[in-house]
Amino acid sequence: MPPAALSVHLSIGQTYAWSVFKPPLESALHLSGTQSALPFQLAIVMLGLSAAFGGTLVERNGPRWAMTVALVCFSTGFLISALGAQTQQYWLIVLGYGFVGGIGLGIGYISPVSTLIKWFPDRPGMATGIAIMGFGGGALIASPWSAQMLQSFGSDHSGIALAFLVHGLSYAVFMSLGVLLVRVPRSEDLAGTAAGPRAFEGVQVSARSAVRTPQFWCLWIVLCTNVTAGIGILEKAAPMITDFFADTSTPVSASAAAGFVALLSAANMAGRIGWSSASDLIGRKNVYRVYLGAGAIMYLLIASSGDSSKPLFILCALVILSFYGGGFATIPAYLKDLFGAYQVGAIHGRLLTAWSTAGVLGPLIVNWIADHQKEAGKHGSSLYGLSFMIMIGLLVIGFAANELVRPVHPRHHVPAPKEAADGRREQPA
């Protein structure tokens, strides 16, 4: 099951390498930083929306159906984007990568999560970390790969189109491995093991009831603020580090900036498996205290040091991205603790609307402020100081929301679903 999950998540995780395409697109199609972020922003919006609306369908039709839909949409999105780049029609890139590809992101993202929780019910943090680890690590592959393609094919509109085409075809082949491998556990797979009776013990809350609880909305705020703080750096990572140290004696080259994106991806990936596994030991609320509290401190260090220390900037950014990834990987286990395993996939899908909101807020804050600071004649690290202070405020709000999380009131509980003979759960009346 872990290889099946990774084959999909390593592919759709390419979205975190979008910043490698930003400078070539801006040059080839004469776009602003805000405009070049739009395909990425729309992809994240569609991720959350498709996960919210598709979560119940994933639970009903199974992970193989979901991975097939994700494969078709994600790869088709790249092919449409390739056509848009070749014809210099920017709206086709937005439609392909942002809208169609974003649907593939959402369905693909949630497809293995609830399945792995069912396979590893005694270690939900580790299970979700395995499932979501690949999404954070996708840019570790895609960033240098994309940079090399742009160098080989050229960074004009034709080179960008060819790079998009190669991405779409390659990911279609790789994601097909997940479609072939994945399956849900049957009753006999878990019979006689600790996992069998523990999968649906304790509190069980339906997806419909979960969205009516304050716990759901507290976690929505927690996820939204944590994601906004991380995605603001991630979406603009390559141009950000270039701008930040442009006025120093050691400016950052384009290849080094792509390497920085890959490092961030590694931290994102490591945080997903490391921090989510740690949450099985120290608890979900405690680990989110680390994400949100220490994350605010990291942003404060970057803002106060400016461009005086490149190692400090890189180190703090890596820590922030590890918290960002850890937050994604831990949230399904947090949901499972509060609402049970019954419809955790559907609940997780609804919660990912917080990611849609953050996918707009984070890049919008960073790009809009940076564009206006440039118009005002500022440059270097001064382009991002205000953005970082806003991120600190958001993390403080998220920290407060996490402190308000309490166990779900018994009136929202439903009886644990019985296991049917074929291994599928019966729906309650």
Side-chain angles (χ1 to χ4, degrees):
M1 293 308 101
L6 285 172
S7 69
V8 172
H9 274 237
L10 280 171
S11 299
I12 63 177
Q14 180 281 335
T15 192
Y16 284 148
W18 176 252
S19 63
V20 175
F21 286 102
K22 280 172 66 69
L25 281 171
E26 290 168 17
S27 176
L29 303 182
H30 309 292
L31 307 174
S32 68
T34 303
Q35 289 175 317
S36 67
L38 183 58
F40 174 84
Q41 288 176 293
L42 181 58
I44 299 301
V45 169
M46 293 309 301
L47 186 158
L49 294 178
S50 61
F53 288 105
T56 303
L57 291 176
V58 172
E59 291 281 350
R60 184 182 305 152
N61 298 327
R64 180 164 293 156
W65 171 87
M67 288 182 178
T68 302
V69 172
L71 184 159
V72 172
C73 291
F74 189 65
S75 297
T76 301
F78 268 113
L79 300 183
I80 296 173
S81 298
L83 177 62
Q86 183 62 39
T87 59
Q88 300 186 60
Q89 296 294 317
Y90 173 62
W91 68 272
L92 279 175
I93 299 177
V94 176
L95 173 66
Y97 191 92
F99 185 80
V100 179
I103 294 173
L105 287 179
I107 301 299
Y109 187 86
I110 62 174
S111 60
V113 173
S114 62
T115 303
L116 278 173
I117 286 179
K118 292 163 191 170
W119 279 103
F120 304 101
D122 54 338
R123 291 289 186 273
M126 181 200 71
T128 55
I130 291 172
I132 297 173
M133 176 177 66
F135 195 88
L140 189 63
I141 299 169
S143 180
W145 184 38
S146 301
Q148 182 59 51
M149 276 194 284
L150 290 172
Q151 184 177 343
S152 301
F153 301 152
S155 57
D156 60 355
H157 66 92
S158 296
I160 297 171
L162 189 53
F164 282 154
L165 178 63
V166 173
H167 275 79
L169 297 177
S170 299
Y171 285 134
V173 174
F174 195 60
M175 292 173 74
S176 66
L177 297 175
V179 174
L180 295 174
L181 288 173
V182 73
R183 65 185 177 91
V184 295
R186 299 166 297 180
S187 298
E188 53 267 33
D189 292 324
L190 299 178
T193 69
R198 294 182 64 179
F200 299 101
E201 278 184 356
V203 174
Q204 304 296 332
V205 181
S206 70
R208 180 178 297 180
S209 296
V211 297
R212 299 190 177 106
T213 65
Q215 288 84 355
F216 177 90
W217 293 106
C218 283
L219 290 187
W220 193 97
I221 294 171
V222 166
L223 184 63
C224 184
T225 54
N226 191 55
V227 172
T228 301
I231 209 167
I233 286 182
L234 197 55
E235 185 275 335
K236 200 176 174 66
M240 178 183 288
I241 193 171
T242 302
D243 292 338
F244 219 84
F245 298 99
D247 298 333
T248 65
S249 58
T250 56
V252 177
S253 65
S255 59
F260 175 63
V261 175
L263 278 177
L264 292 180
S265 179
N268 190 354
M269 186 175 185
R272 290 172 187 245
I273 185 64
W275 289 114
S276 61
S277 296
S279 74
D280 287 332
L281 301 176
I282 68 174
R284 320 301 172 199
K285 179 175 281 191
N286 286 333
V287 84
Y288 272 96
R289 286 168 175 155
V290 174
Y291 299 156
L292 300 161
I297 294 173
M298 294 298 105
Y299 263 116
L300 183 61
L301 287 174
I302 294 177
S304 59
S305 64
D307 61 4
S308 61
S309 175
K310 193 180 298 180
L312 180 63
F313 175 89
I314 294 172
L315 177 62
C316 290
L318 292 176
V319 173
I320 290 170
L321 263 294
S322 78
F323 292 158
Y324 170 82
F328 274 122
T330 310
I331 204 72
Y334 210 162
L335 291 173
K336 189 259 184 185
D337 292 347
L338 290 171
F339 302 110
Y342 169 40
Q343 289 189 335
V344 67
I347 298 170
H348 185 215
R350 286 160 172 77
L351 193 76
L352 289 181
T353 54
W355 192 356
S356 295
T357 304
V360 173
L361 283 180
L364 182 63
I365 290 169
V366 174
N367 285 286
W368 186 83
I369 291 176
D371 286 345
H372 279 71
Q373 297 287 53
K374 285 181 180 179
E375 292 175 2
K378 295 185 179 181
H379 48 82
S381 60
S382 61
L383 296 174
Y384 302 100
L386 178 58
S387 300
F388 292 163
M389 298 309 295
I390 293 173
M391 298 304 178
I392 292 171
L394 289 173
L395 287 170
V396 171
I397 293 172
F399 190 94
N402 183 54
E403 294 302 308
L404 295 175
V405 175
R406 299 289 186 272
V408 176
H409 194 279
R411 71 173 180 272
H412 297 291
H413 298 182
V414 296
K418 297 178 181 179
E419 294 294 322
D422 63 355
R424 295 183 179 179
R425 285 177 281 125
E426 295 176 349
Q427 298 296 321

